[in-house]
């Protein structure tokens, strides 16, 4: 502005107004992008869908083994239901995460950071539960068939199933941490777009 004052001689108040306008424009927050909610809802969807895919596969694969084993040893059917229960818990992990992410979504103040964090949280829980469901289904199928022939394999089968279930639990823990911290870290990054 001082260089211009030599040639054009603007008033000093004009320079101050220009400086204030440029500072306020630079300091103004961008409005929140309404499409950020897409990523949050994809996090909700992926948590529930992938977790239920893992639960469904684990239940179906274990159920085939239980039905096959139950023909010869019907007395062991109730004892062999454990893999089905453990696979069903994976669907609950996805449900819990989807409800928590959906509860933290605010339409007007939802930043891109929050959307990406919620997508990451949903994918973490969903994919971990899918992997755990695959492991539980394969171990459950082979385990209940082997347990019918050799009952001493029961404890080993349960231990393998517990470690397979822990994979889904790890994803749940990380997903909930990411989803819960995103609200604080993503707050104030943009202004409401509906104002």
């Amino acid at each position: 502005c001082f260089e211009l004052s030599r040639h054009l001689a603007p008033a000093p108040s004009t320079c101050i107004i220009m400086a204030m306008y440029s500072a306020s424009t630079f300091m103004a927050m961008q409005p929140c992008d309404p499409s950020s909610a897409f990523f949050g809802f994809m996090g909700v969807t992926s948590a529930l869908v992938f977790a239920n895919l893992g639960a469904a596969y684990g239940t179906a694969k274990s159920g085939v083994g239980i039905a096959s084993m139950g023909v010869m040893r019907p007395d062991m059917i109730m004892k062999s239901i454990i893999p089905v229960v453990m696979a069903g818990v994976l669907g609950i992990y996805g449900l819990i995460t989807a409800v928590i992410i959906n509860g933290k979504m605010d339409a007007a103040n939802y930043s891109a950071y929050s959307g990406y964090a919620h997508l990451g949280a949903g994918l973490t829980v969903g994919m971990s539960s899918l992997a755990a469901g695959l492991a539980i289904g394969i171990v459950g199928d082979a385990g209940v068939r082997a347990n019918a022939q050799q009952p001493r394999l029961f404890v080993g089968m349960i231990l393998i199933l517990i470690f397979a279930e822990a994979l889904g639990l790890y994803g749940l823990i990380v997903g909930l941490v990411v989803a819960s911290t995103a609200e604080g870290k993503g707050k104030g990054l943009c202004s409401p777009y509906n104002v």
Side-chain angles (χ1 to χ4, degrees):
C1 200
F2 295 112
E3 283 295 320
L4 288 173
S5 64
R6 285 189 216 164
H7 304 292
L8 303 175
S13 62
T14 308
C15 290
I16 294 171
I17 291 171
M18 286 173 41
M20 289 175 61
Y21 175 76
S22 63
S24 66
T25 305
F26 179 71
M27 301 281 288
M29 266 192 275
Q30 295 294 321
C32 294
D33 188 4
S35 64
S36 297
F38 169 78
F39 296 104
F41 284 117
M42 285 305 294
V44 171
T45 303
S46 60
L48 193 59
V49 168
F50 289 126
N52 283 340
L53 280 173
Y57 181 83
T59 300
K61 188 89 167 135
S62 298
V64 168
I66 292 168
S68 176
M69 177 272 304
V71 173
M72 301 303 290
R73 296 288 305 271
D75 55 310
M76 295 187 71
I77 289 179
M78 291 310 291
K79 192 177 180 183
S80 301
I81 293 290
I82 294 171
V84 174
V85 173
M86 294 180 84
V89 171
L90 298 174
I92 296 172
Y93 292 168
L95 177 67
I96 290 169
T97 306
V99 168
I100 288 175
I101 291 173
N102 190 44
K104 292 186 179 295
M105 292 181 69
D106 181 19
N109 295 314
Y110 200 66
S111 66
Y113 178 89
S114 297
Y116 297 146
H118 289 158
L119 175 63
L123 284 172
T124 301
V125 176
M127 292 297 185
S128 297
S129 296
L130 177 60
L134 294 173
I136 288 172
I138 293 168
V139 170
D141 182 22
V144 297
R145 291 173 196 252
N147 187 41
Q149 295 177 357
Q150 176 54 265
R152 288 191 298 184
L153 290 173
F154 183 74
V155 175
M157 178 188 76
I158 296 300
L159 284 174
I160 296 169
L161 288 171
I162 289 171
F163 283 112
E165 181 81 23
L167 299 174
L169 189 60
Y170 300 154
L172 176 68
I173 292 168
V174 171
L176 292 181
V177 167
V178 170
S180 61
T181 58
E183 188 175 19
K185 293 177 182 176
K187 201 172 216 54
L189 295 179
C190 55
S191 60
Y193 65 84
N194 60 352
V195 177

